[in-house]
Amino acid sequence: MISVILFMRGMMIYTIFVTVDIGTAWFYIGLIIYLVGLAFYIEALKSFSKTKEDKPVVTGVYRLSRHPMQIFSLIMWVGVGMATANWIILLICGIQPFLVYYFLKCQERFCLEQY
C-alpha cells in the first residue's frame, strides 16, 4: 500500500518537469479527458462524504463502481498524459491498475467484513 502511494507521488513530482505544448490538439483532448475525470472524481467525493460511517456508500457514482475514485483518478492521469503527450505517464497509467489491485482487494475484504 505504501509503495503504491509513494509511486503515485513520484509520478506527481515527475509531471512538474514535463513540458506542455498548449497549441496542440493532444493538449485539448487531454484537458477534456482530465476535466471529465475531475468532475466525476468530485462527485465521488461528495457521495463518500455524505454517507454515514456505519453505512456503505451506494449513491452517486458508487452505484456504477465500487472504486470510482480510483477509476476517475486514472482517467485524470490519462488526460494529463495526453495533454503533455508524454508516453511515460501513459505507460504508468497502463501499469497502475495492476499496482493497486491488491490494495483494492484489501479494501473489498474490509468492506465485506464491516458491512
Side-chain angles (χ1 to χ4, degrees):
M1 158 83 172
I2 296 294
S3 61
V4 172
I5 292 171
L6 291 175
F7 181 77
M8 295 310 290
R9 296 302 179 251
M11 195 161 108
M12 287 179 186
I13 292 169
Y14 171 72
T15 59
I16 294 170
F17 303 103
V18 174
T19 59
V20 178
D21 189 5
I22 296 176
T24 64
W26 286 112
F27 173 77
Y28 294 106
I29 292 168
L31 180 63
I32 290 168
I33 291 170
Y34 175 82
L35 292 174
V36 167
L38 180 63
F40 281 105
Y41 187 88
I42 290 170
E43 182 61 34
L45 284 173
K46 285 181 186 178
S47 297
F48 187 81
S49 67
K50 290 179 181 178
T51 305
K52 295 182 181 180
E53 287 185 30
D54 60 337
K55 303 278 186 204
V57 185
V58 293
T59 60
V61 291
Y62 279 90
R63 289 178 300 185
L64 306 173
S65 171
R66 294 184 301 217
H67 305 286
M69 285 192 244
Q70 286 82 4
I71 290 170
F72 294 119
S73 174
L74 180 63
I75 290 171
M76 290 188 312
W77 277 109
V78 168
V80 169
M82 290 182 75
T84 60
N86 188 292
W87 65 270
I88 294 173
I89 295 173
L90 292 172
L91 177 68
I92 291 171
C93 287
I95 296 170
Q96 193 259 354
F98 300 104
L99 294 174
V100 300
Y101 175 77
Y102 293 106
F103 168 69
L104 295 179
K105 282 295 190 187
C106 291
Q107 263 188 350
E108 291 283 327
R109 195 172 331 117
F110 172 78
C111 288
L112 287 172
E113 291 170 3
Q114 185 75 19
Y115 305 112

